[in-house]
Amino acid sequence: MFARFRRKRLNPVLRDLLQETHLSVNDFIYPLFARSGTGIKDEVASMPGVYQMSIDEIVKECEDLKKLGIYAIILFGIPDVKDSVGSDALCEHGIIAQTVRAVKAAHPDMFVVTDLCFCEYTDHGHCGVLDPVLETVDNDITLGNLAKQAVVHAKAGADMIAPSGMMDGMITAIREGLDSAGFENLPVMSYSTKFASAYYGPFRDVAESSPSFGDRRSYQMNPANRNEAILESIEDEKEGADILMVKPALAYLDIVRDIKNNTSLPLAVYNVSGEYSMLKMAAKAGVIDYDKVMMETLLGFKRAGADIIITYHAKEAALLLQK
């Protein structure tokens, strides 16, 4: 006697009844990139379908997203002026604060997450204030600035803060800053396990955030390290993070499952720019069925343990799910 697994696969209704993992439009957070000006919607060559937008265009985009059932966005800012400390990120009139206020005024039902980091705002492209001797980010000085940045976003109306700089102690500093300013109920979704990955290349085009020297391996994680990846997320849970995250997603599904098995917190993944662009270019070359591969990839994130997927595919996936 041998097992006949096909008994449960022959009938499509039974297949659907027994499907273990499901995708929903409620799983998605859609990234948006804000810059100053009006009427700006500039497509990024390395990321077809992804745009730098002025605030008025982002407000319009939110209307389109809601028609697809997408009610969660994550905002990244492209300032007009960059300096050594990322001053625009600390200013209540900075690009992200302005964008949050505009989106919440026009769409109070839109859930607005703000990326909390300095790489887009510094003239050197690193994720905080530099230590001139070590030529890397000064961890502890940057913690204070992250707390200030979080409060600026909170006062503008952000619904959730998502720190991405991989500074040691960043969740403690941000949580204390938010709580002392009266935002104790504002959740923090930490980029708790973020690797120093080559998959980020196209993002740096759209966010204009490439480092002017070196790389980010002195603070982002070594892609070879599994145990350290788990420890990073567990430490952020101890410090008070409400949601954890693994970034990138596709090449790190083992890490997603490892962390899921070691925490009770919700877990997000960031389906990053390189992952997105590879599918776009493969579709353009005619070597894949884009829709099927995209949906299979997103389903794989859920199966590995993700509760939330930050993805540039969100609009396309939502359309397919509606059908």
Side-chain angles (χ1 to χ4, degrees):
M1 178 66 67
F2 56 86
R4 291 192 179 273
F5 293 105
R6 294 186 60 206
R7 290 175 185 149
K8 296 178 285 187
R9 299 173 188 157
L10 291 172
N11 188 290
V13 175
L14 184 57
R15 284 201 302 271
D16 289 343
L17 284 169
L18 298 179
Q19 182 168 320
E20 298 175 22
T21 306
H22 296 269
L23 269 178
S24 163
V25 70
N26 296 324
D27 297 327
F28 303 141
I29 297 177
Y30 188 61
L32 290 169
F33 298 86
R35 68 177 319 138
S36 62
T38 57
I40 297 171
K41 189 175 182 181
D42 296 334
E43 189 172 26
V44 181
S46 59
M47 296 183 70
V50 175
Y51 301 85
Q52 294 180 344
M53 298 185 194
S54 53
I55 296 173
D56 58 313
E57 292 294 330
I58 283 181
V59 170
K60 294 177 188 176
E61 182 74 7
C62 288
E63 188 65 43
D64 293 338
L65 289 170
K66 292 197 295 184
K67 291 175 182 176
L68 294 169
I70 299 169
Y71 281 80
I73 59 172
I74 183 167
L75 293 175
F76 299 86
I78 305 158
D80 289 332
V81 178
K82 302 186 180 191
D83 60 25
S84 62
V85 298
S87 299
D88 187 275
L90 301 170
C91 175
E92 64 180 17
H93 303 297
I95 185 64
I96 286 296
Q98 291 184 56
T99 307
V100 173
R101 285 194 292 269
V103 169
K104 293 303 290 185
H107 304 286
D109 52 349
M110 183 63 75
F111 188 81
V112 178
V113 186
T114 56
D115 177 81
L116 200 76
C117 193
F118 290 99
C119 59
E120 298 136 60
Y121 307 94
T122 55
D123 52 14
H124 47 73
H126 282 281
C127 298
V129 178
L130 290 181
D131 182 322
V133 177
L134 298 177
E135 293 189 337
T136 186
V137 176
D138 186 310
N139 190 93
D140 294 3
I141 291 176
T142 299
L143 291 182
N145 286 351
L146 284 170
K148 293 175 184 176
Q149 186 185 25
V151 173
V152 167
H153 291 192
K155 288 181 176 178
D159 296 298
M160 185 159 69
I161 304 295
S164 61
M166 287 296 287
M167 296 295 110
D168 294 332
M170 67 181 183
I171 302 304
T172 294
I174 291 165
R175 188 74 268 162
E176 289 176 353
L178 289 171
D179 291 356
S180 64
F183 295 102
E184 60 274 356
N185 291 320
L186 193 68
V188 174
M189 177 173 67
S190 175
Y191 290 65
S192 53
T193 296
K194 180 179 178 181
F195 292 90
S197 172
Y199 280 94
Y200 303 148
F203 173 90
R204 291 171 184 171
D205 294 337
V206 64
E208 300 179 5
S209 62
S210 296
S212 61
F213 68 91
D215 53 41
R216 297 180 179 137
R217 288 183 294 176
S218 63
Y219 43 100
Q220 293 178 357
M221 273 206 57
N222 185 338
N225 291 2
R226 176 189 175 198
N227 291 330
E228 185 185 10
I230 300 170
L231 289 173
E232 283 275 12
S233 279
I234 297 307
E235 178 60 28
D236 280 11
E237 178 179 9
K238 291 177 182 177
E239 291 183 22
D242 300 286
I243 301 171
L244 305 176
M245 189 197 303
V246 176
K247 180 183 180 182
L250 190 59
Y252 298 90
L253 294 182
D254 59 324
I255 304 300
V256 175
R257 174 47 57 184
D258 284 339
I259 293 172
K260 189 68 173 180
N261 289 341
N262 281 276
T263 181
S264 297
L265 290 183
L267 183 61
V269 296
Y270 201 134
N271 178 205
V272 299
S273 59
E275 299 164 3
Y276 171 84
S277 294
M278 285 195 301
L279 292 195
K280 285 292 184 180
M281 301 309 170
K284 185 177 181 180
V287 298
I288 63 168
D289 183 321
Y290 176 80
D291 288 349
K292 289 182 178 178
V293 172
M294 173 186 67
M295 296 302 278
E296 185 176 337
T297 300
L298 297 173
L299 191 67
F301 299 149
K302 287 293 297 292
R303 190 184 62 248
D307 302 291
I308 295 169
I309 304 171
I310 304 172
T311 179
Y312 306 98
H313 295 297
K315 292 194 294 183
E316 298 165 309
L319 280 170
L320 291 173
L321 288 169
Q322 284 183 353
K323 296 176 182 178

